[in-house]
Structures are given as C-alpha cells and as structure tokens.
Amino acid sequence: ATSENPTPPYVAVTVVIFAAFGANYVTATGVRGRNHQNHQVRELEAEDIMFWTRVMEETGSIPPVTTKPTKRPTVMTFKPTSKPVATSTSNPTVMVTTTSPTAGATSENPTTSRVTANPTAIAITGSPSASITTANPTAITTTESPTVDVSTISPTAGATSSVPSPIPTTTSPTPKPTPVFIAPTTPAPTFPCNLTPEERARNITELAQDVSNPADIATPGSPQQRALDWIINEDAMVACPSDMLIQRYVLAVFYYSTDGDNWKICNAPDDFGSTEAIESANQACNLTTTNATAIFPDDIRGTNAWLSPDSECLWGGVSCYPEDSPSAFNVNVIEFEDNDIGGTLPFEMQELTNLRFFALERGGISGPIPEEFGNFPSLLLMDFDFNNLSGTIPDSIWTLPRIRQLDLNDNALAGTLATAIGNLEQLRFFQIDNNNFEGTIPSEIGNMSNMGLLGFSGNLFTGSVPSEICGLRPSPLRTLVVDCTVECSIPDCCTDCA
C-alpha cells in the first residue's frame, strides 16, 4: 500500500494507540497476539455508545423488535432463609354441616365445605433500580384442606327403626344446622407451584431437555446439569415450570459455561439458602449495562449477583424490556467488559430471541462461535473482541437480518471471509483486526450502503481492496484499515494500513 502520511478523518470513532497518543497510526510488524510484547500495534476500537448515538441521530430510533415476544413472566415466591421444602399446614380444620335429626326421620348425608386461602401476589425482592410487579403469580403456596367423609361420623341419627318411638312425629321446623369443626386425621401437604417436588422437577427437566442436549444434562458437572440442579434444588425463587423459566435456565447455563464462579464481580452467592450470603453477593456486584443504558434508558436493570433469587433482569450486566413493552421482561442486553469471563459460549443462548445487544469484551472466552448464534432475529450488536475465540465465523452469522455492528477483533479466528457477508445490508461496523484471516476481501461488502467502519488489519489478507468497497469512501465509509500487504490507495480508498 502507498501512503502520503495522511491524517485520517476518524469521525465519531475513538482510536487508542498503545505506543503513543497521536493522530497517526503505528504500523504493526512481527508476531501478532494479544500481548503485543515484541511490537507496537494500534487498536482500532469504536466506542459503542458513540456509534449507536450516531445511529439514533441518523435513523431517529433503535429499530423495534419485530419477533413474537415470549409471554410475560410471573413472579415467584422468595424465601432465602432455607432451601424450598414441602410443608404441611398445622391443625387444618374442615367445616362440616350436620343436622339435628328427629326420631323417625331419615337423615341426608352431610357434605363438607373446604376452606382455601386466597393467594396473593408476591413482589420481587432485592435492590433493583426498577421495580417489577405482575398479576396472577404462579408460584404461590396454597393450602387445600382434606375432604372428610362424614359418613363415618356417628351415623345413628336418622336411621329407621321398627321400634315405636316414644316421641311423636311433629311438623315443627328442623332446627338450624350447627357447624361442627372436625380435625382431619392427616393434614394435606402444600407445595410450590401446586406440584409435588417430583412433579415440579420432572416438568422443569422436560423444559430444559427441549433447550439443551439431553446428554449434556445427564453429564455430571456439565454447565447444563449444574444449571438444572440449581433451578430445581437451590434457586430460592422456587420458579415454576413455564416458558419464562427457559430464560432463567439459559442464563444459568451461560453463567456456568463461562466460569461464572471466577468472574471478577457479580458471582453467585456462596450459599443460596442464606439471606446474609445473598445480600453480601448483591453488595459486591456493581456491574450494569453501561453503554446500553443510554440507548435503552427504560429497560429493567439492576446490579444484583447472578443466580440471586430475584428476577434475572436484575442481575448485573443484564437488562430486559420495560413492563409496558410487548416484549416485557425478555432479555434485551447482555453486556460485560473486562470481567474475567472465561469458558466457552453455550449454544443455548439462541433461546433469547429478543436479545439486541450481546457484548462480551476483554475476557478469556475460548472455543468457537456457535453456529446457533445466527438464530438471533433481533440482534443489533455482537461484540466479542479481545477474547480467545477460535475457528471460523459461522456461515449462519451472515444471515442475521438486523445486525448493525459485528466486532470480533483480537481473537484467534481464522479462515476466509465468505461472500455471503454481502447479505448483511444493515451492517454499519465490521471489525476483525488482529486475527488469522486469509484470502481476499470480498467485493460483496460494497453492497453495504450504510457501512461506516471496516477493520481488516493484523491478518493475512492478500490481493487488493475491491473497487466496490472503495466506492463507499469517504461517505458513508469513514474508516477503512487493511493489512499493509493488501494493495490499497491511501487516502483515496484506505485510511491506513497496519
């Protein structure tokens, strides 16, 4: 590439230079890697908030979700002092109505009237920044008193007899029935969700098996097995089987898959049954959806520890659609940066169909990007930069219908760029610097009429930048950086090489 020592116009893009602060880039040579110990590498990283602020200024708003939302969740009971156990009501009583029979009269079989307490809505506890209330809670413990067969109670009155009665039959009205309280011999147990523990466990397991591979669930110590065990046996919320429980299960799988117990902050409580441990874990979590807060100010969010017995919308780094949204309480944003997230990405995340922002920056996530990550119909931003991801970019990613920003720089990704990338006509920001990609840069990228930034440097690309891409310069394409081994005129086409 030829250069006239230009000063590229980086509008609304923050450029961080590791070696020195200035307007010009530093050319990268030698060994590439995250540590950059033997050479200087400039980092091309856009501030998400500035980028999306510009998007809102240009389009008027963030595009609404068009997919069918999952039904709104119900609020569950929370008693963190101990693990949920089945309890029995003490001394329940049953009201039995009897009649005072007269001699010679045949008695009718009396019936019992059962008394059941009216369930009341339980509010979510914790320290959320937004409150969540709902009607018709499903995880309410109700008591159903047992039915008593009164035919066993002194059935002598009212029986006919051949012995004449010393008391003549009269037409006097029958005395008013007198209520009699009889204690049942065996109190009826009550359980959360109106299910026995076995029924609840079976129903939740069936839901989980629809989401995860049953073999993974059956593997001891797997993220799926640990998440299911937590939901059934340790989650003090005592969630009931429902469609919304899938969201909670998926986030629990994510926690265990990404080594959540070793995150810097927002780890799960040490003791799920201890109020003190839960409060301590919540106090230690101060993570919130920093960038997305300005973009989605009405979202439900909090700074509670993960796997705490509150709505998952209140866990640190998560936000959900507001209560008045058609997608209310569904996860909208997951945002982590520099929180020592490790492990691998679970494919179960595809169940969060209303997810719009998915940012896991500056962690230690390894392994491939799951093919299932192409199944996010509402996703606007995918930002996994500065991790250890390997493999290729799945072909399914090129089918994301609404993606605006795809940020995968500084990983260990490899392979070639498929021509199908041209299908992402809404893409405005594409950055894959400092990976191991090779081959040529597809000309189909020139189809992206809204593209504002392209970062290809620090790879093994060859050939020249297609004229279709150069045709996007200088507007809308403000920034275009490639390998210096790629032929590109500066500043007519590329803004720099590295």
Side-chain angles (χ1 to χ4, degrees):
T2 59
S3 174
E4 300 297 335
N5 299 321
T7 301
Y10 285 78
V11 181
V13 177
T14 300
V15 178
V16 180
I17 301 178
F18 280 103
F21 181 82
N24 296 319
Y25 284 114
V26 178
T27 300
T29 59
V31 181
R32 290 183 301 276
R34 292 186 64 226
N35 295 327
H36 310 301
Q37 295 176 344
N38 300 322
H39 62 288
Q40 297 174 319
V41 175
R42 66 98 188 93
E43 173 194 349
L44 179 60
E45 181 182 46
E47 292 289 346
D48 294 337
I49 184 62
M50 297 179 67
F51 174 76
W52 285 97
T53 299
R54 188 170 71 248
V55 170
M56 288 191 291
E57 290 175 349
E58 294 174 354
T59 63
S61 65
I62 295 296
V65 172
T66 56
T67 57
K68 183 179 179 181
T70 307
K71 67 179 182 179
R72 293 169 62 171
T74 53
V75 183
M76 310 302 179
T77 315
F78 167 39
K79 294 184 178 180
T81 54
S82 62
K83 292 184 180 179
V85 294
T87 58
S88 299
T89 56
S90 59
N91 299 324
T93 58
V94 178
M95 179 176 288
V96 181
T97 303
T98 64
T99 60
S100 301
T102 57
T106 301
S107 63
E108 297 291 337
N109 292 330
T111 58
T112 61
S113 174
R114 292 178 291 177
V115 180
T116 303
N118 292 326
T120 55
I122 304 299
I124 289 179
T125 61
S127 53
S129 60
S131 62
I132 302 178
T133 58
T134 183
N136 302 323
T138 59
I140 305 301
T141 303
T142 59
T143 301
E144 182 175 333
S145 300
T147 302
V148 177
D149 186 356
V150 297
S151 62
T152 62
I153 303 174
S154 304
T156 56
T160 58
S161 174
S162 59
V163 180
S165 173
I167 303 177
T169 303
T170 66
T171 58
S172 302
T174 302
K176 211 170 176 182
T178 303
V180 177
F181 294 92
I182 302 174
T185 56
T186 304
T190 60
F191 300 106
C193 312
N194 290 326
L195 298 170
T196 66
E198 294 76 15
E199 291 172 336
R200 176 176 174 270
R202 182 174 60 252
N203 291 351
I204 293 176
T205 300
E206 290 174 354
L207 285 174
Q209 288 175 337
D210 288 339
V211 174
S212 299
N213 187 330
D216 292 337
I217 294 176
T219 302
S222 69
Q224 293 78 11
Q225 187 272 333
R226 296 178 70 186
L228 182 59
D229 180 69
W230 171 75
I231 284 277
I232 294 175
N233 299 313
E234 298 182 295
D235 185 7
M237 178 180 274
V238 194
C240 295
S242 69
D243 289 343
M244 284 306 299
L245 181 64
I246 292 175
Q247 175 173 284
R248 193 170 182 85
Y249 166 74
V250 166
L251 291 182
V253 171
F254 174 80
Y255 177 84
Y256 288 116
S257 293
T258 58
D259 201 14
D261 288 340
N262 290 316
W263 293 352
K264 282 184 180 178
I265 55 175
C266 300
N267 318 84
D270 294 332
D271 184 349
F272 293 113
S274 167
T275 303
E276 293 76 13
I278 293 170
E279 181 62 25
S280 176
N282 287 343
Q283 290 296 326
C285 177
N286 59 7
L287 182 65
T288 187
T289 54
T290 308
N291 291 338
T293 300
I295 301 168
F296 306 113
D298 297 327
D299 267 13
I300 300 167
R301 56 176 53 87
T303 57
N304 286 348
W306 277 59
L307 309 191
S308 61
D310 299 294
S311 167
E312 58 272 15
C313 297
L314 304 179
W315 295 349
V318 177
S319 74
C320 296
Y321 290 84
E323 189 172 2
D324 59 356
S325 167
S327 302
F329 305 110
N330 284 260
V331 173
N332 183 25
V333 175
I334 298 176
E335 182 182 347
F336 285 86
E337 183 171 357
D338 194 23
N339 196 36
D340 286 352
I341 293 184
T344 59
L345 295 171
F347 73 87
E348 287 90 346
M349 299 299 287
Q350 68 173 327
E351 298 293 329
L352 305 180
T353 56
N354 290 293
L355 186 67
R356 287 193 283 185
F357 272 36
F358 195 7
L360 307 173
E361 303 179 76
R362 300 181 182 276
I365 303 172
S366 59
I369 299 173
E371 184 76 27
E372 292 82 358
F373 278 22
N375 296 334
F376 291 115
S378 303
L379 195 66
L380 300 174
L381 176 147
M382 181 183 290
D383 189 350
F384 299 156
D385 63 11
F386 290 94
N387 281 282
N388 293 317
L389 293 170
S390 58
T392 62
I393 298 177
D395 288 340
S396 62
I397 297 298
W398 313 130
T399 66
L400 290 170
R402 307 176 72 226
I403 192 73
R404 302 295 201 272
Q405 177 171 340
L406 185 56
D407 196 354
L408 302 172
N409 64 279
D410 289 84
N411 279 281
L413 297 168
T416 60
L417 287 181
T419 58
I421 189 175
N423 297 333
L424 304 182
E425 296 181 357
Q426 299 298 319
L427 195 64
R428 299 165 182 249
F429 183 111
F430 182 59
Q431 184 169 278
I432 56 172
D433 302 85
N434 302 319
N435 280 282
N436 297 304
F437 292 105
E438 57 187 4
T440 59
I441 298 174
S443 61
E444 286 78 5
I445 294 176
N447 297 337
M448 303 175 183
S449 58
N450 296 309
M451 181 59 69
L453 183 148
L454 289 170
F456 298 115
S457 67
N459 286 285
L460 302 171
F461 287 113
T462 57
S464 61
V465 175
S467 59
E468 291 87 348
I469 297 177
C470 294
L472 300 176
R473 289 273 297 138
S475 179
L477 186 57
R478 297 176 171 92
T479 303
L480 173 57
V481 182
V482 299
D483 288 322
C484 289
T485 55
V486 174
E487 182 180 345
C488 186
S489 175
I490 298 176
D492 296 334
C493 183
C494 290
T495 54
D496 197 12
C497 74

